[in-house]
Amino acid sequence: MPQPEWADFDAPCLAVFLRRCQIASEIKLETYPVEQAEIGLIGLGVMGANLALNIAEKGNKIAVFNRTTEVTKKFYAEAGALQGQIIPCETMEDFIAAIRPPRPIIIMIKAGEPVDQQMEQLKPYLSAGDIMIDAGNANFRDTMRRFESLKDSDLTFIGMGVSGGEEGARHGPSIMVGGTEESWKRVEKVLTSISAKFHGEPCVAWLGENGAGHFVKTIHNGIEYADMQMIAEIYGILRDGLGLDAGAIGDVFGKWNTGRLNSYLIEISEKVLKAKDPISGKPMVDMIVDAAGQKGTGKWSVIEAQNMGVAATAIEAAVAGRILSSQKKEREAAETIFGLPEGVAAPKDGMAFLADLENALLAAKIGAYAQGFAVMAAASKEYNWNLPMPTIAKIWRDGCIIRSQFLDEITSAFTKDPDAANLIVTPAFSKMVKETDGALRRVVSYAVMAGLPVPALSSALSYFDAYRRSRGTANLIQAQRDFFGAHGFDRVDGADKHHGPWGSGLADFK
Ligand code: NDP
């Protein structure tokens, strides 16, 4: 004889079921689901609510909980046709009992201390094999610590980077997973169902143990900072160098979006530049104070690049650019002291210069991505993650903020040559750099002469110039270090450490 659905429930589950019936009747539900949820989610803020709706929409039953119960009720009341897939819970007991063990529980709340607090609150309710998944923008060092803290317990932890903002969370984000392979297997199906798809390929992957997912998300954001800064610098040249208005610059970006620069960030730049302020009727972008905010992932990228001994100059320049932008009052005061440079005439052949700007942006972008991937390669070695570079490029092709055609080309380059020392030396990208570095040089030269700040574009160019030059100038630095600190140096005609004749050399200067 067929059993009723609730016959699968153990006693505590049945009690919870009855309590849920009570909650459901309070919010005037006609039917109420008894099947256990495939996954749970805590935190129904912007990201959590959208992620939960996405999970439900893809046919996965989900239990949700929020610190403030009113938020849970509102979320459920507004879930419309998806209500049948959602189990709203007011207490931790209900929430836990509503999820099929081993329970994967996404924590999508304010990053930092709240995550530790939430984990501590959860722990007493969990049982062997349950997985706490921090999906917020965590510092990977916190993720490593949390993962380690559970290592000797029978619970597990996943650090999961989610990119794509509100829209991505709702309709398909790019998801970067770090944790044990076993815990990944438990969540793979649900995460694959909700991720963005690039030509049918899911933009989600297990990238390695412990902090791998959050580290990769951090570098994603570092690259995002550089991408945005470079676009803003080109905008500055078009606005302050060539004198184009916002709409015309929007047209330029619109055209570029059909070419090799095709990307989400160029696409939204066109839209932003063409939008009008409903209050003044002027271009919206002209009414926005030029002081950029930041939440920390750019800074973390730079810190980790430095920790790893990897040059990530374009990302550093982008973070520094935001810092300088935020010093609005100081900049205003400085302008009254120094004024602005007189500028130089715009290049005569406007169309050729526009083509140079497009190619310059591409060349600089290659530098920034090369740096980001180099940081990840170093971290992969440092933490034994074995990060799969082609897969990382693959899952960034859609769903995330830096999604672009360009990432498909990076995927191909790393698939053909997964151990490439640097993206710019792969055959496809070295060809692209050779085609575009002249344009970057001309654009940076123009900007420098015109007094227009281009920190990210110029640092990408200098990075390339330093990287491709076999005989640099650090021989002088080594000599200086040996002079004042007896640090020694390698000779070009032998490998041993040597010291210079500084004592006697000094005498010559007296
Ligand atoms: P919101 O501010 O919209 O929501 C914050 C959520 O955190 C609320 O549900 C809030 O609950 C909960 N919360 C805050 N403090 C605590 C606490 N001490 N204990 C339990 N719950 C708490 O944030 P977002 O949804 O924008 O961001 C969530 C995470 O996602 C962050 O880590 C963020 O960096 C990351 N992220 C955000 C992106 C975005 O575009 N917004 C993109 C990618 C990642 P309550 O309702 O009770 O206040």
Side-chain angles (χ1 to χ4, degrees):
M1 197 178 125
Q3 294 287 309
E5 255 183 300
W6 51 263
D8 290 339
F9 276 52
D10 55 21
C13 282
L14 192 57
V16 165
F17 164 66
L18 294 172
R19 195 145 68 235
R20 273 196 265 127
C21 287
Q22 192 188 341
I23 299 167
S25 71
E26 273 173 26
I27 47 181
K28 298 192 175 39
L29 266 185
E30 280 169 19
T31 55
Y32 198 72
V34 291
E35 183 192 333
Q36 276 187 299
E38 195 50 33
I39 195 160
L41 182 143
I42 297 178
L44 293 167
V46 175
M47 290 296 285
N50 282 290
L51 208 61
L53 292 175
N54 185 4
I55 291 171
E57 191 175 64
K58 300 295 160 22
N60 310 290
K61 190 141 278 187
I62 179 168
V64 295
F65 175 87
N66 193 76
R67 178 181 61 171
T68 310
T69 304
E70 284 313 305
V71 175
T72 311
K73 286 185 175 167
K74 187 167 180 289
F75 167 78
Y76 188 72
E78 291 171 358
L82 294 175
Q83 278 184 344
Q85 291 294 105
I86 298 168
I87 308 176
C89 303
E90 294 192 9
T91 66
M92 202 49 92
E93 290 90 339
D94 286 7
F95 176 67
I96 296 301
I99 309 163
R100 176 176 77 80
R103 304 172 183 87
I105 298 172
I106 296 177
I107 302 172
M108 192 48 137
I109 64 174
K110 196 167 176 249
E113 189 61 27
V115 174
D116 290 309
Q117 289 165 2
Q118 188 59 73
M119 285 175 67
E120 286 311 310
Q121 283 168 20
L122 256 177
K123 274 186 202 167
Y125 298 94
L126 300 180
S127 18
D130 288 353
I131 311 160
M132 289 186 272
I133 306 168
D134 178 14
N137 269 339
N139 185 318
F140 91 104
R141 291 181 182 279
D142 285 336
T143 304
M144 303 279 269
R145 172 178 56 76
R146 289 168 186 147
F147 186 88
E148 279 301 310
S149 74
L150 294 177
K151 216 173 170 190
D152 297 325
S153 76
D154 48 13
L155 303 176
T156 9
F157 185 76
I158 285 181
M160 182 168 102
V162 178
S163 178
E166 187 178 349
E167 193 63 16
R170 178 66 184 87
H171 298 293
S174 170
I175 306 173
M176 294 144 258
V177 180
T180 63
E181 193 167 7
E182 194 189 348
S183 58
W184 157 245
K185 291 281 170 221
R186 173 68 180 88
V187 292
E188 182 176 3
K189 198 161 153 251
V190 173
L191 296 183
T192 303
S193 74
I194 64 162
S195 75
K197 309 285 179 305
F198 181 85
H199 299 319
E201 289 188 71
C203 294
V204 57
W206 172 64
L207 300 175
E209 293 266 324
N210 50 57
H214 274 141
F215 188 88
V216 171
K217 172 72 200 309
T218 297
I219 301 305
H220 164 282
N221 286 21
I223 293 173
E224 178 186 310
Y225 270 58
D227 232 340
M228 292 169 76
Q229 174 70 25
M230 287 167 173
I231 293 171
E233 290 173 14
I234 295 284
Y235 157 72
I237 294 173
L238 290 165
R239 185 188 69 182
D240 302 329
L242 305 195
L244 299 190
D245 63 27
I249 301 171
D251 286 339
V252 171
F253 285 164
K255 184 166 176 297
W256 290 353
N257 199 37
T258 62
R260 288 198 292 184
L261 289 172
N262 172 261
S263 62
Y264 172 71
L265 282 171
I266 291 287
E267 179 193 322
I268 64 164
S269 299
E270 178 194 4
K271 288 183 179 158
V272 162
L273 284 157
K274 289 184 175 173
K276 291 273 187 281
D277 172 24
I279 299 169
S280 65
K282 291 180 181 167
M284 189 69 243
V285 73
D286 291 343
M287 302 303 293
I288 298 174
V289 176
D290 59 324
Q294 50 180 322
K295 282 190 175 166
T297 42
K299 182 178 80 178
W300 296 343
S301 297
V302 172
I303 291 170
E304 296 311 332
Q306 296 280 347
N307 282 339
M308 229 76 68
V310 177
T313 56
I315 301 173
E316 286 166 22
V319 176
R322 286 201 194 187
I323 293 169
L324 264 172
S325 83
S326 68
Q327 295 167 341
K328 176 81 173 163
K329 290 228 169 326
E330 279 184 57
R331 289 191 288 116
E332 283 170 346
E335 188 175 323
T336 63
I337 298 170
F338 300 108
L340 291 175
E342 284 190 5
V344 288
K348 282 202 184 82
D349 187 343
M351 291 314 284
F353 192 59
L354 278 182
D356 266 357
L357 286 168
E358 183 179 8
N359 284 325
L361 191 48
L362 183 63
K365 187 172 162 134
I366 294 170
Y369 280 68
Q371 292 172 6
F373 275 93
V375 177
M376 290 190 289
S380 183
K381 277 196 197 125
E382 174 86 15
Y383 298 104
N384 294 317
W385 284 329
N386 205 12
L387 291 178
M389 298 305 161
T391 305
I392 293 170
K394 237 182 194 181
I395 64 172
W396 287 353
R397 290 178 302 178
D398 210 342
C400 63
I401 303 298
I402 62 171
R403 62 185 179 257
S404 64
Q405 192 57 40
F406 180 77
L407 274 158
D408 197 34
E409 298 178 64
I410 298 183
T411 304
S412 307
F414 278 131
T415 304
K416 285 181 194 142
D417 191 357
D419 299 321
N422 189 301
L423 181 68
I424 60 179
V425 299
T426 60
F429 279 85
S430 56
K431 182 168 175 288
M432 245 188 268
V433 170
K434 283 179 194 169
E435 286 165 5
T436 55
D437 82 293
L440 180 56
R441 205 170 298 287
R442 286 188 291 278
V443 166
V444 169
S445 305
Y446 166 78
V448 169
M449 294 315 293
L452 298 170
V454 284
L457 294 174
S458 59
S459 61
L461 178 62
S462 291
Y463 172 79
F464 170 63
D465 281 337
Y467 188 77
R468 63 98 172 262
R469 183 167 287 272
S470 64
R471 175 76 172 145
T473 55
N475 47 328
L476 178 61
I477 294 171
Q478 283 299 79
Q480 291 164 336
R481 292 180 68 242
D482 188 50
F483 189 107
F484 62 69
H487 295 295
F489 51 78
D490 291 336
R491 291 179 58 94
V492 294
D493 56 3
D496 293 347
K497 282 269 179 201
H498 289 271
H499 293 287
W502 317 126
S504 56
L506 240 195
D508 296 342
F509 291 102
K510 280 184 179 161

